[in-house]
Amino acid sequence: MTNDETGSTTTPRRLPVTDVSLVVLIGTSGAGKSSFARRHFLPTQVVSSDFCRGLVADDENDQSASAEAFDLLHYIVGKRLAAGRLTVVDATNVQPEARKQLVRIAREHDVLPIAIVLDVPPGVCAERNRSRPDRQLAAHVVPRQNRELRRSLRDLEREGFRKVHILRGEAEVAAAEIELEKRYNDLRHLTGPFDIVGDIHGCRSELETLLTRLGYILTRDAEGRPVDAAHPAGRTAVFVGDLVDRGPDTPGVLRLVMGMVAAGHAICVPGNHENKLGRAMDGKKVTVSHGLQESLDQLAGESEEFRAEVRAFMRGLVSHYLLDGGALVVCHAGLPEKYHGRNSGRVRSHALYGETTGETDEYGLPVRYPWAEEYRGRALVVYGHTPVPSASFVNNTICLDTGCVFGGSLTALRYPERELVSVEAEQEWYTPVRPLLTDAPGAREGRPLDLADVAGRRAVETGLHGRVAVREENAAAALEVMSRFALDPRLLTYLPPTMAPSPTSRRDGYLEHPEEAFLAYRADGVRHLVCEEKHMGSRAVLLVARDDAALERRFGVAGPGAIWTRTGRAFLNDGELTGAVLGRVREAAERAGLFEELGTDWLLLDAELMPWSLKAVELLRRQYAAVGAAAGAALPEVLSALERAAGRGLDLAELTDRQRRRAADATAFTEAYRRYCWPTEGLSGIRLAPFQLLAAEGANLAVRPHDEHLAWIDRLVDADERNADERNADERNAGAGNADERNAGVGNAAGKEPMLHRTGRVLVDTEDEASMAAATAWWEELTGAGGEGMVVKPLASVARTVRGEGRPGGLVQPGVKVRGREYLRIIYGPDYIVHLDRLRRRSLGHKRSLALREYALGLEALDRLAAGEPLWRVHEPVFAVLALESEPVDPRL
């Protein structure tokens, strides 16, 4: 670039700027700060004092509004920095007080303040101001600002600016180039897989054993010392700090870890012990305690070259790292979400030492603040520092310091698998001041839920349907249910979605018909469907544990499991009967080999529990039976009166025919709801029709194709039938004992009848007319025999519409119900067919939208459950499903 005054060429000057920082432009009026900002930064990144002055006063040159303008500027800067955005302040900033406030805001948000000074000659600045008709400054302004600038140049670093770039003259300003730098802690591009190792404290032999168990191959030097370890599958080791002190071989641990880091096979963050050892090795005054002397003595036997390498290694350690796109944070002592990816002394201090309550325990040691119990971040935070007897997840955090040097174990977390691998300590190398804490974060469950997790208007992110909004009033209604009537939230991991009916039929005498469902899916680009029999029961979700201990291990609640309704309430009020139902399912799953096949100790199932009267007996008595009884009592009397009147010669034929049709409709209505009612005693009479396996340990099964689910269900039903046959055979073989005693009790130990019920199904190809006709005939057969109807679903479970060029579009309905004409009498009334024209005008849009949103939320909950996310994260979409149920929708749809 050529200097206009001298004709010389100016070399472009690169100005490194951290990608998340506060850039403060400093220069007199007319120095070109606004032009510089426009040339090098996005318009949204620049906050101008002139623009803020215009916002508050409608005049960018109204100096009387400066105080309000800078209040606004500081507010905007704070909001941007809180959101982690690069922010540039365009103002003169030549006065120390103005800069002091900006540095303070940067520190409050733990970002680096960076100064860029445009030191342009005052004559040039004055000339530029004179050429601007919108700005006429007094003659003394620019010289005064220049004097303030001159006094400021030597003090900027002392004021707190971490980087200071001074551009002297127009040529340097014109030649400058901004070079964005990633933060040192930003390793989001590294996606793993990782093996994260807890506090080692000089236990080199245990580290070798652990790395070998994890599959790493050690490399040794000529003296047999390990100097590197690599994983054949390309995994990366991550060390959470406290490599040194207390243990028998601090130099050996450092030699191995430093070699792995240098070879690119590992990364490492510092612990408080590295921080203290590094300062001691640099000759700074430190208190020699907590095992530091052991490290200094051991390192004294090493070469000066090695000690220099150790000092350089420890100086280069970064307080924490963001990994895997920000989904993983590794640090030594834990880190709240607001500090993730930030740079400040406060962040480094928290990452190294954690936070204390200000109290000391009976051993004189500081009491750690239980930050993990309040953590609500998306990233998994893996840390160490506070020894715990065993590692466990608390609110998406985990402490891996399991006290190896104190005789405990050395633990690693395999990520993303979330598997823990440990080796026992070879001996107690260092006697702890206090026993391993049983109340430290990671050794007990944190506070499971908080009102702030669900209260107010919220938006829940789902992988299938984007953000799903929950209104404040709907959240309040859901909170009422959750807090007073629902199951223990630790068990309530899923709520099933509502289901929309098929598009309204125009066929004579039909409100719903399979043809409309098939054609709608074909229009959405879905070819393969499955039609499943709709059972005469109530929706039920079952959590079935292989044994009581399995449920406690995974969910923290002992017992056989739970059965709940669509609103999260216990399905059966009888705990013994609930246990008996779950016991039958568990026996069938065991015999069918599902626990073994899916590698799980528990299963989550979606099912229909029959009869309908088992749960809805009061609804049947008050709403349906009352209508049938009233019609049965009144209509015969009406017909009798009409017949007597006709006998007297009155022409009442039309009215009589209408009343006869009403009587027939009432009879059909009564017969329709009675099909859903039958007596039960204990397990006798209860039928369970599972149609989907929702989840198992580490797996969201609901996204699997429906034919896989139905195959699993068939195996369950077959196993239940074989179990029942064996129980009956055992009873016959016993041939003794009182029959009443054998059949007594809620569990119905004799087991004379299977409990599980098969779900009938037909596969449909929407491009094959014969296939659709066969499914329609099957539906007509089902409903003609009094069945409720069927549910039509995409065979692939999750399906999207097809846009142009085969690109996926929006989510399609996960299932639509096609109900039979007689069943619809229960829903719309005995004589609904008379009103078909009016009913066909029913609006389905809201119901269909609700079904999609609830379906996406349900799958999101299962995804989070499978990923081992904390309870509050799983419960967030579950709660949202219940909240959406409060939206006003015609309950008959």
Side-chain angles (χ1 to χ4, degrees):
M1 182 166 295
T2 302
N3 185 318
D4 294 335
E5 296 178 0
T6 65
S8 62
T9 300
T10 303
T11 303
R13 180 174 171 187
R14 300 186 183 279
L15 310 182
V17 169
T18 307
D19 57 357
V20 178
S21 60
L22 177 61
V23 178
V24 179
L25 300 182
I26 303 172
T28 60
S29 179
K33 297 181 297 302
S34 298
S35 299
F36 184 90
R38 282 193 298 270
R39 189 163 67 248
H40 296 291
F41 300 100
L42 298 175
T44 53
Q45 294 174 331
V46 180
V47 186
S48 163
S49 60
D50 287 346
F51 180 73
C52 290
R53 195 177 288 110
L55 286 178
V56 299
D58 293 328
D59 181 357
E60 293 188 357
N61 295 310
D62 185 353
Q63 298 302 312
S64 67
S66 290
E68 292 81 2
F70 277 97
D71 284 344
L72 177 60
L73 182 144
H74 294 154
Y75 178 81
I76 296 173
V77 168
K79 287 296 183 182
R80 286 189 57 83
L81 295 182
R85 306 291 183 189
L86 174 65
T87 304
V88 180
V89 175
D90 176 14
T92 56
N93 296 314
V94 293
Q95 296 176 332
E97 186 59 34
R99 297 190 298 269
K100 180 179 179 181
Q101 294 190 58
L102 293 171
V103 170
R104 176 184 55 78
I105 295 172
R107 287 174 173 168
E108 286 176 356
H109 295 90
D110 301 289
V111 301
L112 300 181
I114 298 173
I116 299 180
V117 181
L118 278 63
D119 186 8
V120 177
V124 174
C125 297
E127 181 58 33
R128 289 175 177 174
N129 285 319
R130 282 194 295 270
S131 66
R132 291 181 57 180
D134 61 331
R135 175 173 298 177
Q136 295 299 317
L137 301 179
H140 69 277
V141 172
V142 170
R144 187 199 69 216
Q145 291 179 349
N146 188 63
R147 289 193 298 273
E148 291 173 332
L149 175 64
R150 306 253 70 78
R151 288 194 293 268
S152 298
L153 292 180
R154 62 180 180 273
D155 295 326
L156 293 175
E157 290 187 0
R158 284 199 295 269
E159 290 177 6
F161 287 98
R162 297 292 293 274
K163 295 178 182 178
V164 177
H165 304 301
I166 301 177
L167 302 174
R168 301 185 186 278
E170 295 176 84
E172 280 197 12
V173 172
E177 294 181 4
I178 298 297
E179 188 174 77
L180 283 183
E181 295 181 329
K182 291 177 64 176
R183 290 153 287 164
Y184 292 133
N185 52 39
D186 185 359
L187 298 183
R188 288 176 294 178
H189 60 285
L190 299 181
T191 57
F194 300 111
D195 298 303
I196 309 168
V197 181
D199 299 34
I200 303 167
H201 281 299
C203 298
R204 189 259 313 150
S205 179
E206 288 88 341
L207 176 58
E208 288 187 44
T209 303
L210 179 61
L211 289 173
T212 301
R213 186 169 296 179
L214 290 167
Y216 288 78
I217 299 173
L218 295 171
T219 300
R220 300 182 184 274
D221 63 11
E223 299 179 39
R225 300 174 300 188
V227 294
D228 191 11
H231 198 285
R235 299 180 71 91
T236 301
V238 184
F239 297 97
V240 303
D242 276 7
L243 311 173
V244 304
D245 293 352
R246 295 174 173 159
D249 192 1
T250 283
V253 171
L254 287 169
R255 184 175 289 107
L256 175 54
V257 172
M258 288 162 53
M260 293 177 69
V261 172
H265 300 145
I267 56 179
C268 182
V269 297
N272 57 302
H273 283 262
E274 280 79 47
N275 185 52
K276 193 172 184 180
L277 175 61
R279 288 187 288 121
M281 294 181 71
D282 286 339
K284 296 178 180 177
K285 185 176 181 180
V286 297
T287 301
V288 179
S289 60
H290 302 300
L292 175 59
Q293 189 61 56
E294 285 85 346
S295 291
L296 293 172
D297 293 343
Q298 292 166 15
L299 286 167
E302 301 291 331
S303 67
E304 178 55 39
E305 180 183 5
F306 179 76
R307 290 198 297 271
E309 291 174 0
V310 169
R311 289 196 296 272
F313 172 73
M314 288 190 291
R315 287 193 204 105
L317 294 177
V318 176
S319 66
H320 71 286
Y321 284 119
L322 276 67
L323 300 162
D324 192 20
L328 174 65
V329 171
V330 177
C331 55
H332 178 63
L335 207 60
E337 186 177 30
K338 65 181 180 179
Y339 293 152
H340 294 179
R342 301 302 173 115
N343 294 291
S344 70
R346 175 169 55 183
V347 172
R348 181 175 177 82
S349 176
H350 199 294
L352 285 173
Y353 300 99
E355 187 178 353
T356 65
T357 65
E359 303 168 299
T360 55
D361 61 16
E362 64 270 31
Y363 303 98
L365 298 176
V367 176
R368 305 291 176 191
Y369 184 79
W371 67 274
E373 296 183 10
E374 299 177 354
Y375 182 72
R376 291 295 187 267
R378 295 286 181 88
L380 169 64
V381 179
V382 185
Y383 66 105
H385 188 56
T386 305
V388 293
S390 61
S392 63
F393 288 94
V394 176
N395 290 334
N396 217 21
T397 76
I398 186 168
C399 176
L400 295 183
D401 183 0
T402 47
C404 181
V405 76
F406 301 128
S409 61
L410 185 61
T411 299
L413 172 70
R414 290 168 56 85
Y415 177 93
E417 300 88 344
R418 289 188 176 227
E419 296 173 4
L420 292 168
V421 180
S422 296
V423 297
E424 295 300 314
E426 295 179 0
Q427 67 178 70
E428 182 185 278
W429 300 104
Y430 192 90
T431 303
V433 175
R434 63 183 171 196
L436 291 186
L437 293 176
T438 57
D439 63 344
R444 67 171 189 274
E445 275 298 323
R447 176 161 45 84
L449 292 174
D450 190 286
L451 180 62
D453 296 332
V454 293
R457 177 177 170 79
R458 304 187 62 79
V460 182
E461 289 287 348
T462 69
L464 280 180
H465 204 54
R467 302 182 75 187
V468 177
V470 177
R471 295 189 180 96
E472 183 176 1
E473 58 270 27
N474 294 343
L479 186 62
E480 172 75 5
V481 174
M482 285 290 188
S483 60
R484 296 182 59 190
F485 308 111
L487 288 179
D488 188 320
R490 290 173 292 179
L491 300 177
L492 196 59
T493 51
Y494 175 81
L495 286 179
T498 189
M499 184 178 294
S502 66
T504 301
S505 176
R506 291 296 171 183
R507 286 180 174 241
D508 187 35
Y510 288 90
L511 185 62
E512 297 175 11
H513 191 273
E515 182 181 31
E516 281 73 25
F518 300 152
L519 294 179
Y521 276 119
R522 183 164 71 184
D524 285 334
V526 181
R527 178 171 179 178
H528 298 291
L529 305 172
V530 60
C531 302
E532 297 180 4
E533 173 188 4
K534 203 169 188 309
H535 299 285
M536 301 178 182
S538 302
R539 192 77 170 265
V541 179
L542 290 83
L543 177 60
V544 181
R546 199 170 191 178
D547 53 60
D548 289 9
L551 200 72
E552 186 166 21
R553 282 194 303 273
R554 179 59 180 84
F555 298 97
V557 181
I563 308 174
W564 60 88
T565 68
R566 286 195 62 241
T567 56
R569 307 170 194 231
F571 194 103
L572 302 168
N573 295 325
D574 188 329
E576 189 176 352
L577 180 57
T578 297
V581 172
L582 292 169
R584 286 289 183 86
V585 180
R586 180 177 64 241
E587 291 171 8
E590 196 71 71
R591 181 160 194 161
L594 292 183
F595 290 121
E596 291 293 336
E597 178 181 324
L598 298 172
T600 186
D601 287 332
W602 56 273
L603 292 169
L604 195 65
L605 297 93
D606 208 349
E608 288 278 329
L609 194 53
M610 300 171 280
W612 192 20
S613 54
L614 187 65
K615 179 174 80 76
V617 62
E618 286 302 314
L619 175 68
L620 286 163
R621 182 179 295 118
R622 292 195 311 268
Q623 185 167 322
Y624 300 114
V627 171
L635 289 175
E637 291 295 328
V638 170
L639 287 172
S640 177
L642 289 172
E643 289 169 358
R644 288 195 302 271
R648 294 198 299 273
L650 296 175
D651 184 8
L652 299 173
E654 183 180 349
L655 179 59
T656 301
D657 286 344
R658 188 161 68 249
Q659 296 307 313
R660 285 197 179 107
R661 288 195 298 272
R662 291 187 68 198
D665 287 341
T667 300
F669 171 81
T670 303
E671 291 174 354
Y673 77 73
R674 281 179 175 171
R675 294 189 185 100
Y676 294 79
C677 311
W678 60 79
T680 63
E681 182 178 354
L683 284 181
S684 179
I686 291 180
R687 297 287 179 268
L688 181 73
F691 53 85
Q692 192 171 27
L693 290 186
L694 295 167
E697 185 62 52
N700 176 0
L701 302 176
V703 297
R704 303 277 190 92
H706 283 293
D707 52 354
E708 287 189 32
H709 289 279
L710 293 170
W712 284 325
I713 299 306
D714 287 346
R715 287 164 55 187
L716 273 177
V717 175
D718 290 342
D720 184 54
E721 290 174 350
R722 293 197 300 272
N723 287 339
D725 289 343
E726 290 179 2
R727 281 190 290 267
N728 289 329
D730 289 343
E731 182 184 353
R732 287 193 299 272
N733 293 336
N738 183 283
D740 291 336
E741 291 178 0
R742 291 196 305 272
N743 291 325
V746 126
N748 191 8
K752 292 184 177 180
E753 53 192 20
M755 187 187 74
L756 298 186
H757 189 78
R758 201 175 306 275
T759 294
R761 82 295 306 253
V762 172
L763 298 181
V764 172
D765 183 342
T766 59
E767 295 183 7
D768 182 352
E769 296 296 332
S771 169
M772 293 190 289
T776 299
W778 180 69
W779 175 80
E780 290 171 344
E781 181 183 350
L782 280 178
T783 56
E788 180 176 338
M790 68 183 183
V791 177
V792 184
K793 305 175 180 178
L795 184 61
S797 284
V798 179
R800 293 187 177 277
T801 58
V802 178
R803 294 176 176 171
E805 302 178 357
R807 293 181 296 118
L811 195 65
V812 305
Q813 290 293 324
V816 295
K817 51 191 176 186
V818 187
R819 297 167 289 186
R821 292 197 295 176
E822 292 308 309
Y823 174 80
L824 287 173
R825 291 187 191 276
I826 303 175
I827 304 302
Y828 288 103
D831 53 354
Y832 82 99
I833 292 178
V834 178
H835 308 289
L836 271 183
D837 288 340
R838 178 172 56 82
L839 290 175
R840 283 177 176 143
R841 294 193 294 271
R842 62 185 184 166
S843 175
L844 300 181
H846 193 177
K847 180 74 168 182
R848 292 171 63 84
S849 168
L850 191 63
L852 284 178
R853 285 178 282 153
E854 291 187 5
Y855 176 66
L857 287 165
L859 289 190
E860 182 67 22
L862 296 178
D863 278 339
R864 297 180 183 186
L865 178 68
E869 294 198 32
L871 175 62
W872 76 269
R873 284 274 295 158
V874 177
H875 214 255
E876 183 183 38
V878 173
F879 184 91
V881 171
L882 185 57
L884 292 185
E885 281 295 296
S886 301
E887 290 193 3
V889 178
D890 185 348
R892 300 172 298 177
L893 295 178

